[in-house]
Each structure stands twice: as C-alpha cells, then as structure tokens.
Amino acid sequence: MKIISSLLNPVFPNKCLICRSTIKKEIGDRVCLDCWKKVRFSDGPLCPVCGKPFLSVSTLLKSPDYRCGICRKSRPHFTRHIYLGPYEGVLSDVIRLFKFKKKAALAYPLSYLLCRKIKDIPKIDIIIPVPLHPRRLRFREFNQSLLLSKLISNHLNRPVLKDVIVKNKDTPPQIGLDGDKRRINMRNVFSVKEGHLVNKKRVLLIDDVFTTGSTVNECAKILKKSGAYSIYVLTLVMANN
C-alpha cells in the first residue's frame, strides 16, 4: 500500500483534512504535521480537581489546592481530571474527524499526546473506558474511548477492563444541554459488573470530551460504590458548557 500510495501521490496528492494543504509528512489519518503543531494545550492555573481554567494567573499561588466554585459546591466523585487542551481550533477539528467521521487512525497520534500528560497522574492499576450503549456502538462502529484506552494501556502496561462499566440506557446526545440537564440525562444510566475487579484499585477512566463532567462523574460514582480507591479521569479536551 505504501508503494501504491507513493506512485499515486504525484497524480492524486493527499490533502490534509484540516488545512487542505498537500501532505509532505503525515501523522495519523491525513492530518499534516503543521496542523498538529497548532494544537493548543492546557496551560495556566487550573482547578486541581476538574481542570477548569481559572481567570486569574495568581489564583493558586497562595492556595495550590484551591478548587473552582463548582467543585467547592459539590466535589466530584473522581480525584482529578487531566486533558490535552480546550475544545477549539485544530484539536476540535481532529476530534470531530475522529469521533463523527470515523477516522479511527487518529487514535494513534491522540493517544501519543495523552501519554505525555500521564506523567501528571499517580500510579494506576487498571484502565476503564467510558462505554457506549450497544445501539450507539452499532451506529458509530467503534468506541473512541476504548481505542484510546488500548493504546494508552500499551504505554502504561496496565490492563483495560472494557466491560466493567455498562451503559444500560441509550441516552440522548449531551450536545446542547445545560449542566443540570446533562446531569439528569446521565443519572442512573451506568452500572458496574464484577465490582470485585475494581475494589481497592486506582482507576484511570478515559473519555474523549469533558464538558460539565456529568458522564465521567456518574461513572466515577458507581466505581467508588464498588470499592475503587481513586479515579483519575483522562480526556482529550475540555469543552465550554
């Protein structure tokens, strides 16, 4: 295939799916290196629990554990959320290609970038992807969180338990819902099978997009009830609610 591609490229050159320039060096599934270099990663002071950016750069200077207003009002069931960056620019374009256009090969460069963030997470025992309902899985043909989990598992040498959390209800998409409706939409949707597998374990819970955190928080809640020692959440991006 590489030989065929090299023969066809001069006649039918690959175009970057984002900037449409001719690809000289390709990473993943037809996204050029120049576009990947434009990805903006999270920086500045962040809430040490949910990862929400603070407006003031001096917020954490006197109190490094200071939490945002939402986490102070109702602390999430997970220990900490870590992500690549905001849902904007190239990163949002790549995720839409990955998630909705079935460009599954993008899981490789995305997981590589996530592995650079894992150094900020304490040692974990198991990796659990946020599940899709079977009907949604048939429609989408793959679970993006599971793809990322398997690749990160290779890096950490930790097992992926893909069937521990089950989504029992095919909920409406979260897009367009406010925080309260998102929480209601996710309430009592998930259950844990074989809870002994997570008992006293440090869990890395993986999803693609974090908006209000309702989905991962509901997953973390039932993992805690099954005895999980701590749950760290790893996602690609944080989106504005």
Side-chain angles (χ1 to χ4, degrees):
M1 290 302 296
K2 288 183 178 179
I3 294 174
I4 294 174
S5 178
S6 65
L7 293 173
L8 289 177
N9 272 347
V11 183
F12 304 105
N14 281 335
K15 297 290 185 180
C16 174
L17 291 172
I18 295 176
C19 70
R20 305 308 300 167
S21 63
T22 301
I23 294 178
K24 297 178 181 178
K25 186 173 183 181
E26 184 177 334
I27 299 179
D29 190 4
R30 291 181 59 193
V31 175
C32 71
L33 184 59
D34 287 338
C35 280
W36 282 110
K37 289 179 178 179
K38 294 177 183 176
V39 170
R40 186 166 77 86
F41 297 98
S42 57
D43 55 8
L46 308 173
C47 173
V49 179
C50 74
K52 181 180 179 180
F54 287 122
L55 295 178
S56 172
V57 295
S58 60
T59 301
L60 300 178
L61 290 180
K62 293 184 179 180
S63 180
D65 297 324
Y66 182 78
R67 291 171 283 155
C68 71
I70 294 175
C71 290
R72 292 199 308 273
K73 182 179 179 181
S74 178
R75 187 180 178 100
H77 295 282
F78 54 84
T79 305
R80 187 181 176 193
H81 168 229
I82 294 174
Y83 58 101
L84 293 179
Y87 189 54
E88 64 181 34
V90 171
L91 200 49
S92 64
D93 292 336
V94 169
I95 290 172
R96 281 192 286 267
L97 289 169
F98 175 47
K99 189 173 180 178
F100 301 115
K101 299 298 183 180
K102 301 180 181 180
K103 301 296 183 182
L106 287 169
Y108 290 90
L110 287 171
S111 65
Y112 170 79
L113 294 177
L114 284 173
C115 285
R116 294 171 56 184
K117 285 284 187 177
I118 290 177
K119 61 181 177 58
D120 297 328
I121 298 177
K123 183 178 180 181
I124 58 101
D125 300 308
I126 55 177
I127 300 170
I128 297 178
V130 171
L132 293 175
H133 186 272
R135 189 179 296 115
R136 187 66 59 87
L137 182 59
R138 286 194 296 271
F139 173 77
R140 191 170 290 170
E141 298 181 359
F142 69 97
N143 180 351
Q144 64 279 1
S145 300
L146 177 58
L147 283 182
L148 294 170
S149 296
K150 287 180 176 179
L151 293 170
I152 290 171
S153 170
N154 294 335
H155 175 76
L156 292 180
N157 193 27
R158 292 292 183 271
V160 176
L161 304 185
K162 68 182 183 70
D163 296 321
V164 166
I165 299 180
V166 178
K167 191 172 185 181
N168 302 306
K169 180 181 177 183
D170 189 12
T171 56
Q174 296 278 70
I175 296 174
L177 301 180
D178 62 24
D180 289 337
K181 289 181 179 178
R182 283 171 178 262
R183 284 185 282 273
I184 293 171
N185 198 33
M186 287 294 108
R187 192 172 294 164
N188 301 320
V189 165
F190 300 100
S191 61
V192 172
K193 294 197 308 183
E194 300 182 283
H196 65 279
L197 295 176
V198 303
N199 187 38
K200 297 181 180 179
K201 294 292 193 298
R202 293 163 293 193
V203 178
L204 181 61
L205 182 66
I206 294 182
D207 203 4
D208 52 3
V209 178
F210 183 111
T211 305
T212 62
S214 301
T215 301
V216 292
N217 196 47
E218 193 67 23
C219 290
K221 177 182 176 181
I222 60 172
L223 288 170
K224 276 287 186 71
K225 286 184 177 179
S226 296
Y229 177 70
S230 59
I231 299 103
Y232 289 87
V233 174
L234 183 66
T235 70
L236 295 170
V237 290
M238 173 173 276
N240 292 323
N241 184 18

